[in-house]
Amino acid sequence: MSELEFEVDGRGLAKSFGALKAVDGVDLRIRRGECYGILGPNGAGKTTTIKMLCGAAVPDAGTLRVIGIDAVAEGRRAREQMGIVPQESTLDSELTVYENLWVYAGYFGFSRRESRPRIEELLQFFQLREKWDSQIKTLSGGMKRRLLIARALIHRPRLLILDEPTTGLDPQARHLVWNRLRELRRQGLSILLTTHYMEEAAQLCDRIGVMDGGKFLVEGPPLALVRERVGEEVFEFRGVEAEPVLRVLDGLPFEPERMGDTLYLYCKSGAAVMDRLLDSGRRNFLRRPATLEDLFLRLTGRELRE
């Protein structure tokens, strides 16, 4: 694949704050029309990576090109190709829905007359047309998130950057946002997102990178990574001694993990494990498909990060 096929091409990116290496030699390459997700616990380096991409932090080392533009030397020109949706709302509460978009369009040189058709198109797309004259304070959390994404798209960027796009939304609002993001990707928009919702990454992302300690631990398609690093199925036993269970399953292929009062068994195929457990008279377990959350926790640990 040629370099021209990458909307983001970062090589050896590094950023330190004193003795802390927030990002430590990261390569970040996002293909045209791809949705790429960065996953990681708090303090993993996700935010710093995004800040370097958006021009809010200058890399200590490495190279970074966005849409073929040197994002360090020509940061403003690179940012003109990006739509950025922060985690916190930055909408102007004193303005209406329409006025928020009109003012933002003005930053990119659009007149009121030029911007109106684009605003109408975006509000229709995000199911906000009836809120045209509404004050921001009257909008629900889901409406505000959709409006933030619409605002980021006003100038038709080639890369959309989303920081925790559905945090705090109810399931209906979250699924509406997911549907719209999938449609934008089908239209050819490249998307980079960070999220703590594993289901969100599985729903949206063509590829993910799991980050911790300022580095990517793994990178690839979500389902392929789960199958490679975790397996197909997981058995959970709560409140049981591990050794008796493991003795029953001696000789079968699986990987055990104990966390708190729960024993996890990760299997490529759970049929033989299931048969052995039932033959031994055991019924107190849960059998389920392996998920992206299993991968995340196996790679980054289960201890709380705050």
Side-chain angles (χ1 to χ4, degrees):
M1 180 171 286
S2 71
E3 292 186 6
L4 294 177
E5 294 182 77
F6 290 97
E7 299 287 57
V8 175
D9 191 355
R11 312 286 186 93
L13 295 173
K15 183 67 179 179
S16 296
F17 299 97
L20 173 64
K21 285 188 176 181
V23 177
D24 189 9
V26 162
D27 292 340
L28 177 62
R29 307 185 84 187
I30 301 173
R31 299 182 180 100
R32 186 172 302 170
E34 177 180 50
C35 182
Y36 187 98
I38 302 180
L39 313 182
N42 293 329
K46 306 185 303 295
T47 298
T48 302
T49 300
I50 295 295
K51 284 183 175 180
M52 288 191 287
L53 184 60
C54 298
V58 178
D60 296 331
T63 60
L64 179 58
R65 302 188 71 82
V66 178
I67 324 297
I69 302 167
D70 187 327
V72 179
E74 299 182 84
R76 181 170 182 174
R77 193 159 75 93
R79 286 191 295 275
E80 289 174 352
Q81 301 295 326
M82 305 179 204
I84 302 169
V85 183
Q87 184 175 346
E88 301 297 329
S89 175
T90 55
L91 299 169
D92 192 325
S93 61
E94 301 301 316
L95 302 179
T96 66
V97 166
Y98 165 71
E99 289 167 343
N100 265 274
L101 296 185
W102 167 60
V103 169
Y104 197 75
Y107 298 152
F108 296 92
F110 292 98
S111 68
R112 183 188 289 266
R113 182 177 179 181
E114 291 171 329
S115 65
R116 187 179 178 99
R118 178 62 172 163
I119 293 172
E120 290 181 341
E121 175 189 357
L122 288 168
L123 292 182
Q124 188 69 33
F125 182 72
F126 284 102
Q127 296 185 15
L128 291 169
R129 183 61 181 83
E130 71 280 4
K131 299 296 182 180
W132 180 281
D133 289 321
S134 298
Q135 294 289 324
I136 298 301
K137 63 185 177 182
T138 68
L139 303 183
S140 67
M143 291 176 182
K144 290 177 183 177
R145 293 306 292 175
R146 278 146 45 207
L147 183 58
L148 280 167
I149 299 172
R151 188 184 69 175
L153 296 170
I154 196 75
H155 59 299
R156 301 185 186 277
R158 286 174 54 177
L159 174 67
L160 180 64
I161 301 173
L162 302 139
D163 186 10
E164 301 286 343
T166 62
T167 295
L169 301 190
D170 61 40
Q172 289 83 0
R174 182 177 299 124
H175 279 269
L176 178 56
V177 170
W178 290 351
N179 287 335
R180 292 302 179 262
L181 292 177
R182 281 193 291 264
E183 176 59 30
L184 290 168
R185 187 187 60 188
R186 285 192 290 269
Q187 294 173 11
L189 184 68
S190 303
I191 300 174
L192 171 64
L193 65 87
T194 68
T195 182
H196 282 113
Y197 289 126
M198 298 299 109
E199 183 186 1
E200 182 161 87
Q203 287 271 349
L204 297 177
C205 296
D206 301 293
R207 288 189 304 137
I208 61 166
V210 180
M211 197 174 205
D212 202 9
K215 297 176 179 289
F216 282 122
L217 305 179
V218 295
E219 185 181 50
L223 182 58
L225 288 176
V226 171
R227 288 175 173 169
E228 176 187 343
R229 297 299 186 109
V230 179
E232 299 280 353
E233 297 183 274
V234 181
F235 288 80
E236 295 185 18
F237 302 80
R238 292 189 175 89
V240 301
E241 293 292 329
E243 286 306 316
V245 175
L246 298 179
R247 280 198 301 270
V248 165
L249 300 174
D250 185 47
L252 295 181
F254 63 86
E255 293 186 35
E257 180 185 21
R258 185 66 186 256
M259 179 63 188
D261 70 341
T262 304
L263 172 66
Y264 299 90
L265 306 181
Y266 304 102
C267 313
K268 294 296 183 184
S269 173
V273 172
M274 185 75 169
D275 289 343
R276 186 79 64 85
L277 289 170
L278 294 178
D279 288 345
S280 70
R282 291 188 174 273
R283 301 289 189 275
N284 58 336
F285 60 85
L286 170 67
R287 180 188 185 185
R288 60 173 176 80
T291 66
L292 192 55
E293 185 164 314
D294 294 312
L295 172 72
F296 182 85
L297 292 172
R298 293 207 77 190
L299 290 172
T300 65
R302 296 177 182 269
E303 68 275 9
L304 185 63
R305 312 266 189 106
E306 294 182 317

